[in-house]
Each structure stands twice: as C-alpha cells, then as structure tokens.
Amino acid sequence: MRFPSTGSDGEMAMSGFSSDDIGWTPIMEEAQRATRVLHPEALQLPRPDERRIMTVANQKGGVGKTTSTVNLAAGLALHGLNVLVIDLDPQGNASTALGVDHRSGVPSVYEVLLGEIGVADAAQQSTQSENLWCVPATIDLAGSEIELVTMVAREGRLKEALNAEGVERLAPDYVFIDCPPSLGLLTVNALVAAREVLIPIQCEYYALEGLGQLLRNIELVQAHLNPALWVSTILLTMYDGRTKLADQVAAEVRGHFGELALRTVIPRSVKISEAPGFGQTVLTYDPGSRGSMSYLDAAREIAERGGRKGA
Ligand code: ATP
Ligand code: MG
C-alpha cells in the first residue's frame, strides 16, 4: 500500500482531500482517484455562456505557465469542452506538450500575427484530445517582438485574429494563450486579446518578486487598450509540502489575492515534468497521478467559477 502523503511518483498530496482531513483515509483517497481515472465521463464540466479567453502570464521564467496552460486545456477538453491553445512563446513548449508540429515553416502564430493566415488555418488538432486545438509557435516567432514594433495596430493583432469569423470553425469554449517570460509586445498582444489573466505563481522564494510589475502592466493595458481585462485566476504551482517556505508563499499569495487564488494547488511532481518529453500532458501520460488529478481539480474550479468579474 502506498504511503498516505505521497503518490506513485513521490508527489505530495495537496489537491482535493488529504490524509489530514478528519475521517478521510488513504484508501478512500485511492478509491476516489481510481474512480475518476476509470470514469472520466462522470465529471461534468459546465460549458461557459460565452467564450472565455485566458492569458497565462508571468514574466518570471519557469513558473509553470506552459505546464498550466497545456494541462488545464487538456483537463477541460477531456471533459468535452472545445479548447484552443495559442502558443505565443517562440520556445514552442506548449506546442511540444500538445504533440503539435512546430518546425520552422509550419503555419503558425507568427503568420497569424502578420495577418497572412487565420487562426483556424494555423490550428492543429492535438494528439491529446479531439476537442483540443493548438496554434503552434515556431522559431520564426523569435524575431516578431521587433517586427511588430513597426506594424499598424501592433498591440491588437492577436485580438483581431481571434475575432475573425474563421475561428468559429473551431467553436472554442476556452482559449488559452501561453505567454513568453517577458512583458514585450507578444505578451501585450495576449493581454489585449483576452478578458481574463491567469497568473501561475511558483511556491518558491522570490515568487512574488516582479509580480507588482506584471500587475502594473495589466493595469496599463486595462486603462488604455482593454478595459474588460481582469486577473481572474491565480494558480499556485510546484508546491512542495515538505518545505515551510511553500506554505509561507501560499499563505502570502492567498493573503494578497484572496478568492482569486484557486483552492487547488499544483504539487511538485516528476510526472508533470516528464510528460512533455513524450509529447503529452500529464492527464494522458499518467492519468492517476496526483499531478494529473490536481490539474483536473484546477480545471474544474475554473469551469465552475465562470469567467465573470464578481460572479
Ligand atoms: P518559461 O518562462 O520558460 O516559458 P514556464 O513559466 O512556461 O517557463 P514551465 O515550462 O511550465 O514554466 O515549467 C518550467 C519547468 O518546470 C519545466 O521543466 C516543467 O516541466 C517543470 N514543472 C512545471 N510544473 C511542475 C510541477 N508541478 N512539478 C515539477 N516540475 C514542474
Ligand atoms: Mg513557457
């Protein structure tokens, strides 16, 4: 039998119930996980009334933006919702994790930003779910921060592309935009195109550094380019229950952001970090792992909360 507080890959229990909950035993937890893996259709996620466009942003590198984008997207898609991921990072990590071709020359978000093709022309179906589509990023995007500077309506190019009629072919309920670790024009395009911002925060020292700058940039975009924009979701990632620091960061973030922070916290997990190497999300790579369950819980929270401010 497994030790109560660790999963198959040594992850710490965080999402949903833990063995600390009174009356909740490890065997019950295992049983619940098994049920959810064997009967994914039992989990019904509400379809939003209107399309939710969420930008996943944090200019700090390696905090879990891409990992959260692809796993939340897969969580929603595997439960029947139509999801489109826009990979807006020249590193192309989201494209890799979703099993989507992103070699140089493949129709990508770069040509979309140039206005040469539509979103639906560049979107490829992910290997992870038939409801999941991804507009890949190729290395061609690397020069675009500079190229965009001289373009007309340079901050609104992604928004325009997402508003075009062709997108209706994909009929996405959710659009996730994975940003690069910078506050340049690509991230500004993502903030202008979205209504919601999801900020992943790593439960580590320095986690909150730079957050003020991000929030100020969001306010600037709100004030001048996209009044509807708001930070709807904070997601704590890479939580390691063995460290006091992780709890301190989590408490500080909750103190500052209150209800905006999801109850679910993503544990540090080897399975989560291994999955992209196989062109997969953790939800297909190891559906029963705690990492997979935590992203599923986070996806459910996002779906159940809805996307309206003050809702
Ligand atoms: P970048 O700023 O470079 O785009 P990012 O914010 O998108 O980075 P990710 O690429 O998602 O961050 O994650 C950074 C690294 O941490 C990756 O190697 C990823 O596999 C790993 N990682 C992310 N989340 C977890 C987790 N919960 N447990 C363990 N490893 C994780
Ligand atoms: Mg990334």
Side-chain angles (χ1 to χ4, degrees):
M1 197 179 78
R2 284 184 197 150
F3 189 70
S5 64
T6 58
S8 56
D9 51 355
E11 302 158 0
M12 304 306 293
M14 256 318 285
S15 75
F17 295 96
S18 82
S19 50
D20 296 336
D21 291 317
I22 296 164
W24 187 252
T25 69
I27 293 173
M28 287 159 77
E29 187 183 334
E30 289 295 319
Q32 192 206 39
R33 284 169 66 187
T35 309
R36 289 163 64 189
V37 173
L38 293 171
H39 303 285
E41 70 286 354
L43 177 65
Q44 295 286 329
L45 295 182
R47 200 173 288 278
D49 298 337
E50 54 182 352
R51 182 166 305 155
R52 291 179 68 181
I53 305 183
M54 305 182 81
T55 279
V56 182
N58 190 336
Q59 82 277 22
K60 204 167 152 61
V63 299
K65 292 182 287 297
T66 303
T67 305
S68 300
T69 300
V70 300
N71 288 297
L72 292 172
L76 294 164
L78 288 168
H79 291 92
L81 300 171
N82 296 332
V83 185
L84 171 66
V85 170
I86 309 279
D87 189 350
L88 206 55
D89 184 347
Q91 298 178 97
N93 297 152
S95 311
T96 303
L98 293 174
V100 159
D101 187 4
H102 64 105
R103 285 169 296 184
S104 177
V106 166
S108 71
V109 74
Y110 175 65
E111 291 80 9
V112 171
L113 290 171
L114 293 184
E116 291 176 358
I117 58 174
V119 165
D121 305 316
Q124 295 178 45
Q125 196 171 32
S126 165
T127 51
Q128 300 301 286
S129 160
E130 59 179 19
N131 306 327
L132 181 51
W133 294 76
C134 173
V135 174
T138 65
I139 194 67
D140 303 325
L141 190 62
S144 65
E145 293 265 15
I146 294 166
E147 289 172 58
L148 276 169
V149 172
T150 55
M151 285 185 199
V152 183
R154 59 192 180 181
E155 297 96 353
R157 301 193 74 93
L158 183 60
K159 180 187 173 123
E160 196 186 327
L162 281 173
N163 281 341
E165 251 175 46
V167 179
E168 296 315 318
R169 263 195 279 156
L170 304 172
D173 298 303
Y174 283 85
V175 179
F176 285 93
I177 308 171
D178 184 28
C179 290
S182 78
L183 293 171
L185 265 175
L186 287 173
T187 299
V188 171
N189 260 270
L191 294 173
V192 171
R195 172 157 302 190
E196 298 177 59
V197 188
L198 185 159
I199 306 177
I201 297 179
Q202 191 182 353
C203 296
E204 296 283 353
Y205 201 57
Y206 296 135
L208 303 175
E209 231 170 59
L211 216 53
Q213 201 188 351
L214 173 63
L215 296 174
R216 275 193 298 281
N217 274 47
I218 292 170
E219 278 168 22
L220 279 174
V221 172
Q222 257 166 353
H224 300 287
L225 299 162
N226 181 10
L229 187 69
W230 71 297
V231 177
S232 68
T233 315
I234 304 287
L235 178 60
L236 290 160
T237 64
M238 293 184 237
Y239 177 91
D240 185 343
R242 293 166 298 186
T243 68
K244 266 202 187 124
L245 180 65
D247 277 330
Q248 284 166 4
V249 173
E252 200 171 330
V253 168
R254 288 190 194 286
H256 188 79
F257 291 101
E259 293 288 296
L260 296 182
L262 295 184
R263 284 190 310 280
T264 305
V265 172
I266 308 301
R268 187 170 276 286
S269 141
V270 175
K271 297 287 182 190
I272 289 178
S273 59
E274 280 175 356
F278 296 86
Q280 289 187 36
T281 64
V282 73
L283 280 86
T284 59
Y285 178 64
D286 191 345
S289 66
R290 282 184 205 282
S292 164
M293 289 297 159
S294 65
Y295 269 116
L296 208 50
D297 284 339
R300 180 171 49 184
E301 265 195 74
I302 289 172
E304 287 176 351
R305 283 172 161 206
R308 281 175 196 268
K309 207 171 181 172

